[in-house]
Each structure stands twice: as structure tokens, then as C-alpha cells.
Amino acid sequence: MVQAEKTYEKSAQMIYPLSDRSSPATIPNHHTNIRLNTIGGDHWKLPDQWISWEIDIPSEGLYKISVRARQNLVHGLKVNRRILIDGQVPFKEAEKNSFEYSTGWKMTTLGTEDEPYLFYFSKGKHILTMETTLGDLGPILRDAGNSIYSLNYAYRKILMITGPGPDIYRDYNIDVELPDVMQILAEQSLVLSDLAGQIEAYADDRSHAATLKRLSHMLTKMYTIPFLIPRSIKELKINVGSLATWVHTSREQPLEVDYILLQGEDKKVP
């Protein structure tokens, strides 16, 4: 057992030991005194932040790794960690390991639903590192960022014709004057709709797709009825800003860890 608060190295000073008294199973604990018994949480959430621990392996062999952790800050979303042994990712599957949202502490054994991953260790001291990564969420956020770039370009092009305070009763002939903008609106409506489906499949809470769906529906309305574009330009700006905020907050991957357990493959996880 490796106590998570007893780190070997870490990527930032802001990652420091915390005190948890929400569960008597948190180790170490005391009925009256405060113990610094966990690490991470909201301080360990940004991509590429990492924590490493020194472990002393008693005998050579294959070990499964279980983590007593809690992700109760980002509702309905999984967070991901990359596993490195002595500075190297031991196999491809260790690149992304998910920890489900839970209001309480949960023991997670690294692996698939069918079987745990087995990590080879030689006898002696090794460095185990967990690094924040976006996992399967990364491509979704990347595509959403590309959509923001395209829609900001379209917004500026429309603004050049209508100005910041367009006359809502005037037909600016946006579809004739700006055919490239109309194409962007049509394309990004489909892209955002597809991303909404992906985030619904990824997250446990469908509300994470609300911003994507709302903007996709608005873009569909704009390219279908170009006359409505001038009166929708302020709403477009607001919704694109909301999408940018969603991308920024979704990059956060907080995880609080109590301890890490290394066991032989035949041992039962507590």
C-alpha cells in the first residue's frame, strides 16, 4: 500500500496533501485530530499535471494496481490518468485510465470491465507516476475548439456587413454576400450535433451536451432562414462564448487519491 499524500515528486507546488474526514476508511484517520491523508482534488485537475510515488516491490512479478479515489467535483464526467512506471508508459492501454464520477470514495482497479491490467515489476524500488490526461474527451474538445475558431470567423464576417447594431427589419442578403459563411454555419451545425452525441455517450449526465445542442439548433435555423441572421448575431456571440467556457471547464480533470494498492493477480481487492 502506498499512501498517496507521501509523494516522491510532483509537477506543481499547488498539489499538496489534504485532510479528509468524510469516511472512516480513509487512511490514516483519527477520531479527533486532523490528518493530512489524501492528495489532489481540485488542485490536481489540469492536463499534464502529475504526481509520482516511490514504491518498494518485495518480489518480481505481475501486479494489479488499485486506487482508492474520489471524483466528486465534475458531475457526470469521467476523469483520466496516464500511468507511468519509471518514467515510461508500460503498454498502450495505460495511456488512459478512467475514474467514474462518485459522491463518495471508490476503489478502482486499473483495467477493463472484464479483467485488470497486470504491470510487471522487478524486485526493488520503482517510481509510479499518475499524469492528468483528457483521454477520449480530448478529440471532442479539440473538434469543439475548431468549431469555435470557425464560428468566430463567421461572426466577424457577418459583423462587417451588418455592424454591431443591425436593423432586424432589413434584408442584408447574407446568403448572397457571404456564401462561405453560410457553408460554415451549415457545416458547424452538423459538427456540433455529432459532438453532442459523442459527449452524451461519454458522460453519465446528458446535460453536458446542452450547450452543443443549443448552438447546433441555432446554426441550423440561421442557414435555413438567412433573413434571421442579423437578429441572431448577438445570440450567436453569446452561444459561441458559452461553448468556449464549456471547452475550458471540461478540460479540468480533478481527482483526489487516498492510497494506491499493488497486489498479485490472484489477490482480492478490498
Side-chain angles (χ1 to χ4, degrees), residues 78-146:
K78 296 176 282 190
V79 300
N80 298 276
R81 292 296 184 271
R82 178 184 292 116
I83 303 299
L84 300 95
I85 308 296
D86 297 325
Q88 300 292 327
V89 178
F91 45 83
K92 182 179 179 181
E93 289 79 4
E95 281 281 355
K96 50 186 179 182
N97 298 271
S98 298
F99 295 84
E100 303 284 347
Y101 171 81
S102 175
T103 55
W105 291 94
K106 185 177 180 181
M107 182 69 81
T108 299
T109 300
L110 306 183
T112 65
E113 294 182 359
D114 301 322
E115 59 182 351
Y117 298 147
L118 296 177
F119 297 80
Y120 170 77
F121 288 95
S122 59
K123 182 179 179 180
K125 294 186 182 297
H126 294 272
I127 303 300
L128 171 65
T129 303
M130 294 178 66
E131 181 181 358
T132 306
T133 179
L134 295 176
D136 293 333
L137 186 60
I140 299 175
L141 298 183
R142 182 195 61 221
D143 291 344
N146 292 336

Side-chain angles (χ1 to χ4, degrees), residues 31-45:
H31 63 286
T32 57
N33 296 336
I34 294 176
R35 298 288 192 227
L36 296 178
N37 49 15
T38 71
I39 195 168
D42 195 44
H43 303 289
W44 186 28
K45 63 183 180 181

Side-chain angles (χ1 to χ4, degrees), residues 189-252:
S189 173
L190 297 176
V191 168
L192 292 172
S193 178
D194 180 62
L195 291 178
Q198 292 183 47
I199 199 67
E200 283 185 339
Y202 177 84
D204 296 328
D205 188 349
R206 291 195 170 190
S207 65
H208 288 284
T211 300
L212 299 166
K213 285 183 173 181
R214 181 169 61 250
L215 183 51
S216 175
H217 176 73
M218 179 185 177
L219 296 177
T220 301
K221 188 176 179 180
M222 289 175 70
Y223 80 76
T224 303
I225 313 174
F227 181 77
L228 297 179
I229 291 178
R231 69 181 64 186
S232 303
I233 190 169
K234 289 184 179 179
E235 186 181 355
L236 174 64
K237 180 182 179 181
I238 292 172
N239 284 334
V240 173
S242 297
L243 179 61
T245 301
W246 177 83
V247 170
H248 177 74
T249 56
S250 296
R251 286 173 54 84
E252 298 179 351

